[in-house]
Amino acid sequence: MVGIRRTKPPRPAYESRTYVGLPALGWREWVALPDLGVARIKAKVDTGARSSALHAYNIHLYDRAGKPHVRFDIHPLQRNAETSIRVRAEIVAVRSVRSSSGQVELRPVIHTQIAVGDHAWPIELTLTNRDEMGFRMLLGRQAIRGRFLVDGGRSYLQRRKRRKGDR
């Protein structure tokens, strides 16, 4: 048809907290792992990583009531080796994971709850030593699929829940 110009429908307006009905995450966010006793840990949101990973050290595998379990320690704060949390969890799998450096590593996998802003849901976490990495936790695409969109140019879009006494 001559003279008729087809135009695309307008895109929805971007808001700092939602886009196309889904809340937005920045490339890094503060998250909580309440089942593990972690009130706050800085996570890098990485859509290039399939699975999520948590910095763990002193990892010890053992059986309890015939089921595989793991005991490990966490340093939840970057550049702080003083603060440590001891955790015990049931192992749901052991997976072969290729790290960003190309190394293949067998990692224990656990299930736990994650809280980001006002949202909480169960995720799988692989346990590995992330001492050489900039973030103690990596939040991969499986954990956020269908729940969030990621704005790679912004940080900390999800605010932590306000508690009594917070200002």
Side-chain angles (χ1 to χ4, degrees):
M1 301 191 163
V2 179
I4 297 178
R5 190 174 191 188
R6 294 183 187 244
T7 61
K8 293 182 181 179
R11 299 181 98 193
Y14 179 81
E15 300 165 15
S16 65
R17 305 278 238 165
T18 61
Y19 180 73
V20 192
L22 291 176
L25 289 178
W27 72 271
R28 59 186 168 181
E29 292 287 343
W30 285 104
V31 305
L33 303 169
D35 295 345
L36 305 183
V38 178
R40 282 181 63 159
I41 188 168
K42 197 184 299 183
K44 178 181 179 184
V45 178
D46 187 351
T47 59
R50 183 174 182 269
S51 57
S52 298
L54 178 66
H55 169 66
Y57 67 100
N58 291 338
I59 299 172
H60 298 283
L61 307 178
Y62 64 96
D63 279 340
R64 181 173 164 195
K67 293 183 179 180
H69 282 72
V70 62
R71 180 181 68 239
F72 57 97
D73 295 318
I74 303 170
H75 288 310
L77 304 174
Q78 284 178 214
R79 295 179 293 280
N80 179 338
E82 306 274 325
T83 306
S84 181
I85 299 171
R86 165 97 7 122
V87 179
R88 292 176 181 357
E90 184 176 340
I91 296 174
V92 297
V94 175
R95 292 210 187 106
S96 179
V97 177
R98 186 176 306 278
S99 71
S100 59
S101 64
Q103 298 281 349
V104 176
E105 176 186 23
L106 278 177
R107 296 182 186 174
V109 180
I110 64 170
H111 282 161
T112 192
Q113 282 285 115
I114 187 171
V116 182
D118 294 330
H119 310 276
W121 69 98
I123 65 167
E124 285 188 347
L125 274 177
T126 65
L127 305 176
T128 188
N129 188 320
R130 293 183 54 81
D131 263 338
E132 302 302 316
M133 307 305 260
F135 290 83
R136 302 292 185 172
M137 185 172 167
L138 190 76
L139 191 57
R141 68 178 176 268
Q142 273 189 323
I144 60 174
R145 178 177 281 138
R147 296 179 186 280
F148 295 95
L149 292 177
V150 179
D151 182 340
R154 299 186 61 199
S155 299
Y156 311 117
L157 296 179
Q158 293 296 312
R159 303 290 185 253
R160 129 181 114 115
K161 282 187 188 177
R162 292 188 65 106
R163 298 184 188 105
K164 283 187 178 178
D166 278 359
R167 293 182 187 237

